[in-house]
Amino acid sequence: MTPRTEEAAHAQPSSSTRAMIGRDEELRILRGRLADAAAGRGGALLIHGTAGVGKSALLRAVGAEGTEGGFNVLSAAGVETELWLPFAALQLLLQPAADGIGTLPLPHRTALVDAFSATQTEPHIFRVALAVLELLADEADRQPLLLLVDDLQWVDSPSRDVLRFVARRTRDLPVLIVAASRVHSPDAYAPSAQPDLHLQPLGRSAAAELLDAGAPELSAPLRALVLERAAGNPLALVELPKTVQDIAPPLDDLPLTQRLEDAFAARTDSASRECRTLLLALAAESTAPLNRLLEVSSRLTGTTVSVDAAQEAIDAGLVGLVGRSLEFRHPLMRSAIYTRATVADRLATHRAIAAAMADTPERRLLHLAAATLGPDEELAARLERFADMALARGKVAAAVPALRQAAELVQDPRHRTEILVRAAESASEINDRVHTQLLLDRADMSELGPLERARLMVVSDKAAFEPDEPQRRIEDMVTTAAGAFDAGGVQVAENLLWRAAARCFFQDGGARVRSLAAAELERWNPDPDAPVVLTVRAYTEPFRYGAEVIARLGSLRPDRLDGRTMHFLGSGAMVLGDATLAARYLSLAATAWRSQGRLGLLARSLAGSWPRVYLGQLDRAREESGEGLALAEETGEWIVWLGVKATGSLVAALRGETETAARMLGELRAHRLFPGMPFAAVMAQQVEGLLALFDGRTAEAYDALARAFDPADPHYHSVSRWLLAPDLADAAVAAGTVQQARELLEGLPELAARLPSEMMVVAHVYTEAVLAPDDTAEEHYTAALAALPAGWALARARLHLHHGRRLRRQRQYVDARNPLRSARDEFDRLGARPWAEMAREQLRAAGESSGRRHANTSDRLSAQEMQIAVLASQGLSNREIGQRLFISHRTVGAHLYRIYPRLGITSRGRLAAALAALQDGHPASGSSDADAG
């Protein structure tokens, strides 16, 4: 058998993949995915396992089968030396499809050209991602696509983000993405977004079969030794027999990876000097073309190194020729050759590569840094200047490796820490949490000044939102913000104080830390109309500042296109419970972030779906919370995820979708962050209470809702609990616990006077009416209906229901019918089915029959389908809809073809009429030529 790695030996062309030993189940799964993709049902799969376990073999096997099955196969592999080079892996992956870039619409074309250019400004990551999605969708329209990405753990962060974005959006496309990684380490807070396949070592019999197929001449003792040491690792079963006779007994205790690296390295011992030099150059710069590697090798040896050296390495089974570039047969070969080389040879190789890369200053500087031992202040300064230029052009990802290397070359510990903080800030900006944390870990906290300490705390707050000891963390953040402000860092101080204030809401900080944060802001003598000031005051001491903040929020006329300002104002209104202002401002913020492709910020602004529930906008709340949930998972915004998951569960409960609500509630409670987040816990308890109430479990409903008003209960939130006051009153009437409810709500009137937000007004007047004794009930209902905020349609309908029910119980049947009809019609319009059914039951009891309502639009369409239908009815093209929702225009078309028959129509032109008819409760009909284009 010719010397080959396991990837070559264990993965033959597709006609032989059935002969792959011990991988029948894995091949069955991959073939099923290929069949689904060929039928237009795309997907993604991550294969993960230890080095040499056969991941690359499976990728090559599925690639061969894909080619045979008519797929266009695009492939790339992560390279450790390119981990810090933005879009390097993506550019390699898309090379065969590069001609299609020129046919894309101008915004997509510009995004890709800028991303792959060394000189242009780097576009936002999700603009690139959407452009790649459209490029692949167009390619897949001609021929099904199979994307294979090996060594995902070494793929640069921007390329990984793009691949993750595309992988989530292939369901309606003939596109399959299969990636392989040595490690499987999703965000610790993340539920799994994509399916995975954990590749295990081969079983004993399969391992023996593979070993005997590759090395039948082994003696029985050596065969037993290889089987024992390989432990089912296919690569070891192929490689160890070639060197096992030379392995000394002390190696028995070495890890398998080191044994394999030693085995690979030993195979270069007999190679010529020119070949070894070429291999070391390739190990140091794995993506360089062959001609450049030969140039570097010639410079190092002092003689002309020809392609004969490359052929020698190919014949030895160490590398292969792919296009004009050499490629190691296995990543362990690269690390084995690099680590086996002497330090002097490594340094000389990096210097020679740097000299040959004058045309790529970024890579040249990285190799110069790798060629340096000890401090080099001049080179560190050059690296910092390069990072400054990269940041000025918006190429944040390119600045990170330069700063990381610069930190290693400076002698002064304080300066080194300052550089590491800058590097961590940049890594955080591109949402690379793993490397952000690695850089933070290298910073010497004892060398931090007040400004660096504050900047570092901001970055660490982005990297991880720990749920433990919230009071201590808030206090530390306020103290650090104070130090930064006194040191002249006003902007970083404001940023950090805002984050501390946000924790006062999310984690319901105690009175002491709330007061501490508010007092620190006062010490700065701030502009009372500044958005960040309004937000901090709303977050920290709402019952002290709420009236003033609401007045200022209502009178401001800010720039509607300023997403940051809109978000600050909207989030401040939201935590105070002013749903109308919150929905307005957060909607404007979402529009700004959407136009800029800022998906993480868009996810945050889609938290505005929560106030929409109380405005009775259940359909829109469902759409926005669904989109926000997907974007929060995609961008790692896990606090947002908790909020929109809770909102989605609440909407499902109000729509009568009990199973969906309960499932989402279970997922919410199972999240790692949930126990430390009272803002989400109180929403979860609201859903628990409503589900019990709708199911007739009235005592259970009251107990669940009452817990949210107990300061000792983990579901208590000092502000948001008042959103539950109407639900508590409903449950109290149903369960006969009116007096207990009155006692729980005893302090409400005084608090509502201090914080006159919509939430507090509704809580006060609603509970006053519903819990009123019979002799004063009528005047309370009249007052409550007059005092309700204009937009709170759900609360108004609920009051009508209670009023009608009370009148019916008093046998005033005729008088009861008007409020009950109003309640029924409004609940039907809003899609609040459980309450609509209650109104119908009460009407029947009052002597009036009431038919079942017609299904409305949201009963027939999913949340995303509803978004697409509405946008299409407004005249937007498929591409425009795709750009707005960050999906492919072909996915939009696929959705429309499913939407038409559900609405009883066959053309795009009848969408508006169909939606309007269903919204009014009348099914639409009509036909015309189908057109989903």
Side-chain angles (χ1 to χ4, degrees):
M1 181 177 177
T2 32
R4 289 179 296 179
T5 67
E6 177 268 340
E7 272 68 11
H10 196 220
Q12 302 299 321
S14 64
S15 59
S16 305
T17 52
R18 288 185 296 275
M20 282 188 69
I21 296 168
R23 297 301 186 204
D24 293 346
E25 177 60 17
E26 290 84 356
L27 285 170
R28 184 192 65 77
I29 292 172
L30 287 166
R31 287 172 183 143
R33 294 300 173 88
L34 277 175
D36 287 343
R41 301 184 300 275
L45 184 71
L46 173 67
I47 303 172
H48 59 96
T50 56
V53 79
K55 303 180 297 295
S56 299
L58 279 176
L59 287 187
R60 290 179 179 171
V62 72
E65 292 214 358
T67 299
E68 235 180 43
F71 279 78
N72 180 13
V73 181
L74 308 181
S75 61
V79 179
E80 194 172 6
T81 54
E82 295 205 331
L83 184 60
W84 294 95
L85 299 178
F87 299 114
L90 186 67
Q91 188 169 13
L92 179 64
L93 181 69
L94 297 180
Q95 272 181 352
D99 289 346
I101 295 176
T103 65
L104 291 173
L106 182 60
H108 298 327
R109 188 164 69 246
T110 302
L112 289 180
V113 170
D114 287 352
F116 298 150
S117 166
T119 58
Q120 298 300 316
T121 299
E122 185 173 305
H124 195 274
I125 184 71
F126 292 111
R127 287 188 182 276
V128 178
L130 186 58
V132 170
L133 178 65
E134 290 290 60
L135 175 66
L136 296 176
D138 287 348
E139 290 290 321
D141 194 46
R142 293 184 284 273
Q143 183 180 5
L145 269 183
L146 173 61
L147 277 63
L148 304 176
V149 183
D150 206 352
D151 289 315
L152 188 65
Q153 75 278 1
W154 288 333
V155 166
D156 61 276
S157 178
S159 293
R160 277 204 315 274
D161 287 342
V162 170
L163 289 170
R164 190 181 298 117
F165 177 97
V166 173
R168 289 173 174 269
R169 292 162 174 81
T170 58
R171 188 182 64 182
D172 294 299
L173 302 172
V175 177
L176 175 63
I177 301 175
V178 184
S181 176
R182 283 194 199 176
V183 294
H184 183 236
S185 55
D187 189 309
Y189 300 153
S192 179
Q194 297 294 343
D196 59 10
L197 177 61
H198 184 197
L199 202 57
Q200 303 279 4
L202 296 176
R204 180 79 181 182
S205 61
E209 185 180 350
L210 178 60
L211 177 62
D212 293 342
E217 73 286 352
L218 283 182
S219 65
L222 285 179
R223 180 179 182 275
L225 180 62
V226 170
L227 285 172
E228 183 270 325
R229 289 184 177 177
N233 184 287
L235 181 60
L237 291 164
V238 172
E239 291 298 329
L240 289 182
K242 300 166 187 173
T243 53
V244 70
Q245 292 160 311
D246 301 322
I247 296 177
L251 290 178
D252 285 344
D253 295 330
L254 292 178
L256 179 60
T257 300
Q258 187 172 345
R259 293 178 193 160
L260 288 173
E261 288 187 347
D262 288 343
F264 284 137
R267 289 169 57 188
T268 66
D269 290 344
S270 59
S272 66
R273 177 175 174 241
E274 291 78 9
C275 181
R276 291 198 306 273
T277 303
L278 178 66
L279 288 170
L280 181 55
L282 177 62
E285 182 56 57
S286 298
T287 60
L290 178 56
N291 63 331
R292 181 158 287 184
L293 290 174
L294 294 174
E295 174 192 342
V296 169
S297 301
S298 299
R299 190 189 302 249
L300 287 166
T301 59
T303 61
T304 300
V305 177
S306 70
V307 293
D308 292 340
Q311 189 61 52
E312 183 181 349
I314 293 170
D315 292 342
L318 296 170
V319 300
L321 186 63
V322 180
R324 298 180 180 179
S325 300
L326 292 179
E327 186 179 278
F328 282 108
R329 293 289 192 182
H330 195 278
L332 287 178
M333 293 181 181
R334 191 204 74 80
S335 58
I337 289 168
Y338 190 83
T339 55
R340 190 178 176 94
T342 65
V343 173
D345 284 345
R346 284 189 228 164
L347 298 179
T349 300
H350 283 294
R351 281 194 295 270
I353 294 172
M357 288 195 154
D359 56 334
T360 52
E362 180 178 351
R363 300 179 87 108
R364 182 170 185 269
L365 279 172
L366 293 178
H367 281 289
L368 284 174
T372 304
L373 284 179
D376 188 328
E377 300 290 344
E378 190 276 331
L379 181 56
R382 289 173 63 188
L383 286 161
E384 284 196 82
R385 286 196 296 273
F386 174 85
D388 290 338
M389 289 188 293
L391 290 171
R393 297 200 311 268
K395 289 185 169 289
V396 181
V400 176
L403 291 169
R404 180 178 60 92
Q405 293 279 24
E408 295 177 359
L409 298 174
V410 297
Q411 195 160 13
D412 178 52
R414 175 72 178 272
H415 188 198
R416 181 186 309 118
T417 296
E418 290 173 354
I419 296 173
L420 285 171
V421 170
R422 286 190 66 199
E425 286 175 322
S426 296
S428 174
E429 189 173 335
I430 58 175
N431 210 32
D432 189 346
R433 286 173 168 78
V434 173
H435 288 102
T436 297
Q437 195 59 54
L438 290 174
L439 290 161
L440 291 175
D441 291 343
R442 291 175 54 195
D444 186 349
M445 302 298 177
S446 66
E447 296 294 337
L448 292 173
L451 277 179
E452 287 75 26
R453 188 176 300 279
R455 287 164 54 198
L456 195 61
M457 190 168 277
V458 168
V459 172
S460 64
D461 189 63
K462 290 181 184 177
F465 199 119
E466 74 291 335
D468 59 316
E469 298 188 63
Q471 314 297 327
R472 176 196 57 76
R473 175 71 173 182
I474 293 169
E475 186 172 352
D476 287 348
M477 294 171 82
V478 173
T479 303
T480 305
F485 183 86
D486 292 340
V490 175
Q491 189 172 356
V492 69
E494 285 184 348
N495 191 347
L496 189 54
L497 189 64
W498 165 69
R499 292 176 180 278
R503 285 171 179 257
C504 287
F505 171 73
F506 292 126
Q507 298 182 291
D508 199 21
R512 191 180 67 82
V513 292
R514 285 175 177 270
S515 176
L516 188 70
E520 180 57 33
L521 181 65
E522 286 301 297
R523 190 175 73 88
W524 301 352
N525 191 27
D527 174 2
D529 283 328
V532 68
V533 173
L534 292 170
T535 305
V536 168
R537 286 176 169 167
Y539 276 145
T540 53
E541 294 200 313
F543 295 106
R544 176 183 175 188
Y545 292 107
E548 178 188 351
V549 170
I550 290 170
R552 292 182 183 278
L553 285 172
S555 63
L556 289 177
R557 295 295 180 267
D559 180 0
R560 297 163 63 93
L561 302 179
D562 183 347
R564 183 174 182 272
T565 295
M566 293 297 106
H567 184 83
F568 272 134
L569 299 178
S571 60
M574 183 172 68
V575 301
L576 293 175
D578 206 292
T580 303
L581 284 173
R584 180 196 310 162
Y585 282 130
L586 289 174
S587 178
L588 291 170
T591 298
W593 300 138
R594 195 183 293 281
S595 68
Q596 297 171 30
R598 306 288 293 274
L599 298 198
L601 294 172
L602 174 58
R604 295 184 190 184
S605 293
L606 289 172
S609 57
W610 184 27
R612 290 194 187 283
V613 174
Y614 299 95
L615 297 175
Q617 300 168 10
L618 298 188
D619 285 351
R620 189 162 176 186
R622 181 178 71 128
E623 295 159 20
E624 291 185 355
S625 63
E627 184 182 11
L629 189 66
L631 294 179
E633 288 183 0
E634 191 159 12
T635 57
E637 293 283 350
W638 298 113
I639 306 304
V640 173
W641 187 95
L642 292 172
V644 291
K645 177 68 83 170
T647 301
S649 180
L650 177 59
V651 170
L654 297 181
R655 285 166 49 85
E657 298 162 354
T658 304
E659 291 183 4
T660 299
R663 173 182 55 78
M664 296 182 77
L665 186 61
E667 292 166 353
L668 175 67
R669 290 191 179 280
H671 198 282
R672 172 181 168 180
L673 287 178
F674 178 83
M677 296 294 164
F679 92 100
V682 72
M683 296 170 72
Q685 204 64 8
Q686 181 179 23
V687 177
E688 295 273 15
L690 287 172
L691 288 175
L693 185 61
F694 294 154
D695 193 40
R697 294 175 280 119
T698 56
E700 186 179 332
Y702 180 81
D703 290 342
L705 292 163
R707 289 179 61 188
F709 290 82
D710 178 1
D713 193 276
H715 300 90
Y716 174 87
H717 191 284
S718 59
V719 182
S720 296
R721 61 182 163 140
W722 296 114
L723 287 168
L724 280 62
D727 308 322
L728 181 78
D730 286 4
V733 169
T737 54
V738 169
Q739 185 55 40
Q740 293 95 310
R742 288 175 182 156
E743 292 170 3
L744 275 181
L745 301 174
E746 188 177 10
L748 174 55
E750 189 258 335
L751 289 175
R754 291 164 56 189
L755 173 59
S757 69
E758 292 177 343
M759 169 184 70
M760 299 303 292
V761 169
V762 171
H764 182 208
V765 301
Y766 187 99
T767 56
E768 284 279 298
V770 171
L771 300 178
D774 289 340
D775 58 343
T776 61
E778 280 303 312
E779 61 187 77
H780 280 300
Y781 276 112
T782 301
L785 288 167
L788 279 182
W792 284 57
L794 202 56
R796 187 173 301 277
R798 291 171 67 180
L799 271 178
H800 281 309
L801 172 60
H802 270 289
H803 189 202
R805 178 187 283 139
R806 182 186 290 270
L807 291 171
R808 184 195 64 77
R809 286 176 178 170
Q810 294 175 340
R811 302 181 185 277
Q812 300 178 46
Y813 299 121
V814 175
D815 292 338
R817 291 170 190 166
N818 275 336
L820 289 173
R821 286 191 209 105
S822 296
R824 176 201 60 194
D825 293 345
E826 189 67 356
F827 288 137
D828 279 347
R829 185 182 71 82
L830 301 178
R833 280 178 290 216
W835 277 314
E837 290 308 310
M838 290 181 190
R840 282 182 166 77
E841 289 174 10
Q842 291 297 317
L843 268 173
R844 284 192 290 270
E848 179 174 303
S849 62
S850 181
R852 301 186 64 83
R853 73 182 183 97
H854 294 294
N856 65 18
T857 320
S858 61
D859 296 329
R860 303 187 182 198
L861 305 179
S862 71
Q864 188 176 71
E865 286 170 342
M866 186 71 175
Q867 284 181 300
I868 290 171
V870 169
L871 293 171
S873 73
Q874 294 169 352
L876 274 69
S877 70
N878 286 8
R879 281 201 186 273
E880 289 169 334
I881 296 171
Q883 288 175 19
R884 179 179 172 83
L885 299 182
F886 301 97
I887 56 178
S888 164
H889 70 285
R890 299 188 186 280
T891 297
V892 174
H895 275 301
L896 285 172
Y897 275 119
R898 290 194 290 266
I899 288 168
Y900 294 157
R902 294 181 193 172
L903 298 183
I905 61 175
T906 56
S907 76
R908 193 187 198 100
R910 297 191 60 84
L911 267 173
L915 293 175
L918 278 171
Q919 199 65 35
D920 293 336
H922 303 292
S925 62
S927 63
S928 183
D929 294 334
D931 172 23

